[in-house]
Amino acid sequence: NHGYGRAGTIPRMEYYASFAQRVRNWVEASAGCKIWIIGNETNHPQERPDGQVITPYMYAKCFNPFRDEIHSLPGHEDDQVTLAAVAPWNSQTTYPGNHSGDWIHYFTSMMRSIRELGGHIDAISLHTYTHGTEPQLVFSNAKMGPPFQQYHFHFRAY
């Protein structure tokens, strides 16, 4: 994670190279770690660097070289470099091709952009919750209201 709030979960594009060096240093100094998550909820406004929307393409431009860099380090060839989980139920990130802010579309576009730019995905991260504290909500099939009525409202959002 690059930072929080205005720093952004990933930096602005012009700082990807210096962030890549930080990632490399972190991985080299982290004995025993084999799973790395690049960023967090990149579709959530609170994770934007200086308020800049992080599009799936921008995320892929950050993710691909970092994954390659991690895998190039001795002892990390088989590590799992994981996509950032998206913020479920968050429709605040819109961009050309996703005018509704559909977070599932955002997530699939992240994966597609990574592949289109020649990258590979080792694993994915998911954030999913219930909207309450009752344990049975984990099994709920309740759906959202329009325009996202095709998506589950609780844990099954994954």
Side-chain angles (χ1 to χ4, degrees):
N1 204 42
H2 176 256
Y4 298 96
R6 290 191 57 78
T9 189
I10 62 172
R12 293 178 63 89
M13 288 182 82
E14 62 265 28
Y15 301 115
Y16 284 2
S18 62
F19 184 47
Q21 185 60 52
R22 280 182 45 207
V23 168
R24 179 185 182 87
N25 294 344
W26 185 268
V27 171
E28 286 180 318
S30 300
C33 294
K34 296 292 181 186
I35 300 172
W36 310 96
I37 302 171
I38 306 297
N40 177 58
E41 294 189 343
T42 53
N43 67 317
H44 199 292
Q46 71 187 16
E47 300 286 4
R48 296 176 181 165
D50 296 322
Q52 179 185 57
V53 170
I54 302 169
T55 66
Y57 175 81
M58 290 168 63
Y59 180 78
K61 292 289 283 184
C62 179
F63 178 88
N64 284 352
F66 292 1
R67 181 194 175 274
D68 294 344
E69 184 69 25
I70 290 168
H71 281 266
S72 75
L73 295 171
H76 295 280
E77 299 85 355
D78 297 320
D79 286 9
Q80 291 184 357
V81 182
T82 303
L83 294 179
V86 297
W89 312 294
N90 182 330
S91 60
Q92 295 172 290
T93 297
T94 61
Y95 53 91
N98 188 5
H99 298 287
S100 69
D102 183 319
W103 57 96
I104 301 295
H105 180 84
Y106 182 95
F107 194 55
T108 58
S109 293
M110 284 171 58
M111 292 185 276
R112 187 175 302 111
S113 293
I114 287 166
R115 298 296 303 256
E116 287 173 357
L117 293 173
H120 301 279
I121 300 166
D122 300 323
I124 60 172
S125 301
L126 298 175
H127 285 181
T128 189
Y129 318 92
T130 62
H131 289 93
T133 59
E134 300 80 24
Q136 69 273 15
L137 290 176
V138 170
F139 305 103
S140 172
N141 283 318
K143 300 284 182 111
M144 296 186 64
F148 300 111
Q149 64 273 10
Q150 71 273 29
Y151 298 141
H152 286 89
F153 184 64
H154 295 289
F155 185 77
R156 291 184 171 171
Y158 63 89

